[in-house]
Amino acid sequence: IFFCAYTLGYPGIVAFILFRNEERVKEDQLLRANNTGDDRGSNPNCYDFRKRFSRLYFHFKPHHYYWILIILGRKFLVATCGLVFRKSPVFLMSVLLVILFVSYALQMRCQPYMSVSEMDAVADAYAIEMKMMQDFEEEKFRKENKGRRLRMGSGNEVKQIISAKRKEKRQQSALLYFWNYNTMEATLLFSASMTVLCGLMFQSDQMKPNPDGSVNSWSEGLFWLTMTIILVSTIYFFVIFISDIATAFGYTTSCQKKKLQKALEIEMEKGDSVDMDQNPLHISKEERQE
């Protein structure tokens, strides 16, 4: 009963809430990226939803709102392996290594977390993309009588512009690489994988004690390597933790923030301003053309 109610029931309920309210979650996270939405006036559509369920998604970027399910799945697999294969330590650590490696690959591929240092970048990228989408719709509306070839060319051009803007923002955020949740998660997953790998190495014949009963030098070296990995990853975690608190309270200033703001102002000068509080999923085709 408890297995069904908690181990399966809780992830099922979380998935139901998130996927059923996908548009609300995305809109609320865009407002969060702009440091607003904490009251009913600035967040009329999602304020009540944020108060109830924000713990499920507030760490993640709008398009990766579901990532809590990935984390729950990883924890479920690790716990299950620990129970099922506890009598076979080597096989247990081998399976754990596979789970951690897949988790590390997914983390590096998706970069789902939205740390404090990345909020401005998420908001600015949304504003620029919305502006490009509006320009594309207007251009398409003006050229709709000039043939399919022009319309297709306009769409490809807009995609190239958006890709260039995203590349520029990634370059501007390079110095913040080690100070965000994505890098921290990837580093800790890598450290966990290395720790499990060291555990596998401890089971090899190379690590057995010497015939005279003295400690094997290989075993001692591997022990200190394992402790170093654990110690360095722990120190790194607390450095990021303290730095993120300082950033949240406004004690740090970044040249990247100024560059992003300047880039946004340049884009805004080319056309009308973009409403950051509006969810793009709620904008109809007619409204974009207007």
Side-chain angles (χ1 to χ4, degrees):
I1 293 176
F2 282 100
F3 176 80
C4 295
Y6 183 77
T7 308
L8 300 179
Y10 175 68
I13 294 175
V14 171
F16 176 78
I17 294 173
L18 292 178
F19 290 123
R20 184 180 178 84
N21 299 276
E22 176 181 354
E23 295 184 2
R24 287 185 178 180
V25 174
K26 290 182 177 180
E27 181 178 353
D28 188 44
Q29 284 302 88
L30 289 173
L31 292 175
R32 189 186 302 277
N34 287 276
N35 295 309
T36 186
D38 293 327
D39 55 81
R40 199 178 301 276
S42 60
N43 191 4
N45 298 327
C46 311
Y47 176 75
D48 292 332
F49 186 81
R50 173 186 286 195
K51 297 292 288 184
R52 294 174 182 172
F53 304 114
S54 63
R55 292 288 181 180
L56 301 179
Y57 61 83
F58 79 103
H59 279 308
F60 311 111
K61 295 176 182 177
H63 293 294
H64 294 94
Y65 63 92
Y66 55 83
W67 203 258
I68 186 67
L69 298 174
I70 305 296
I71 297 176
L72 290 176
R74 184 179 71 206
K75 292 183 176 182
F76 172 78
L77 292 175
V78 170
T80 302
C81 290
L83 291 174
V84 176
F85 306 122
R86 63 183 182 274
K87 294 182 179 181
S88 303
V90 175
F91 186 75
L92 168 61
M93 288 185 287
S94 300
V95 176
L96 289 179
L97 186 61
V98 173
I99 295 172
L100 293 173
F101 179 78
V102 173
S103 300
Y104 176 77
L106 289 175
Q107 171 64 33
M108 294 301 296
R109 174 63 179 84
C110 298
Q111 300 287 306
Y113 286 90
M114 184 173 67
S115 61
V116 175
S117 61
E118 290 182 309
M119 286 185 176
D120 290 337
V122 172
D124 293 347
Y126 168 75
I128 292 174
E129 187 166 345
M130 283 299 300
K131 182 62 174 62
M132 295 299 175
M133 291 173 60
Q134 292 176 357
D135 292 344
F136 170 66
E137 292 293 342
E138 293 174 0
E139 187 71 13
K140 183 178 179 181
F141 180 75
R142 287 195 298 266
K143 295 182 178 180
E144 62 181 356
N145 296 324
K146 296 184 180 181
R148 182 178 178 85
R149 185 176 181 181
L150 287 176
R151 293 198 297 269
M152 292 298 290
S154 177
N156 293 333
E157 182 181 356
V158 172
K159 291 180 180 179
Q160 293 176 359
I161 294 174
I162 294 176
S163 299
K165 289 295 181 182
R166 288 174 175 173
K167 182 178 180 181
E168 179 183 354
K169 287 188 176 297
R170 287 195 295 267
Q171 293 174 350
Q172 291 174 347
S173 301
L175 294 179
L176 297 176
Y177 177 75
F178 292 101
W179 272 261
N180 64 65
Y181 298 153
N182 290 305
T183 306
M184 181 179 69
E185 178 78 356
T187 302
L188 295 180
L189 284 173
F190 178 78
S191 300
S193 301
M194 292 298 296
T195 303
V196 174
L197 183 60
C198 290
L200 282 172
M201 295 173 66
F202 272 116
Q203 303 298 321
S204 64
D205 294 337
Q206 187 70 26
M207 302 300 164
K208 290 183 178 180
N210 295 323
D212 58 358
S214 61
V215 178
N216 190 330
S217 58
W218 287 98
S219 177
E220 185 176 3
L222 184 60
F223 166 78
W224 287 111
L225 175 62
T226 306
M227 293 302 298
T228 300
I229 293 173
I230 296 174
L231 181 61
V232 170
S233 61
T234 303
I235 294 174
Y236 172 72
F237 170 79
F238 282 104
V239 168
I240 299 301
F241 178 75
I242 296 173
S243 176
D244 204 50
I245 291 179
T247 302
F249 282 93
Y251 290 113
T252 59
T253 58
S254 174
C255 61
Q256 284 75 22
K257 183 176 180 180
K258 296 179 181 179
K259 290 180 180 180
L260 292 174
Q261 183 65 27
K262 184 178 180 180
L264 178 61
E265 291 175 356
I266 292 175
E267 288 297 328
M268 293 298 103
E269 289 176 358
K270 297 179 181 179
D272 296 332
S273 60
V274 179
D275 185 5
M276 295 299 298
D277 293 346
Q278 190 172 14
N279 190 338
L281 299 175
H282 296 162
I283 302 176
S284 65
K285 181 178 178 180
E286 292 76 10
E287 290 174 340
R288 292 172 183 170
Q289 292 177 353
E290 294 176 358

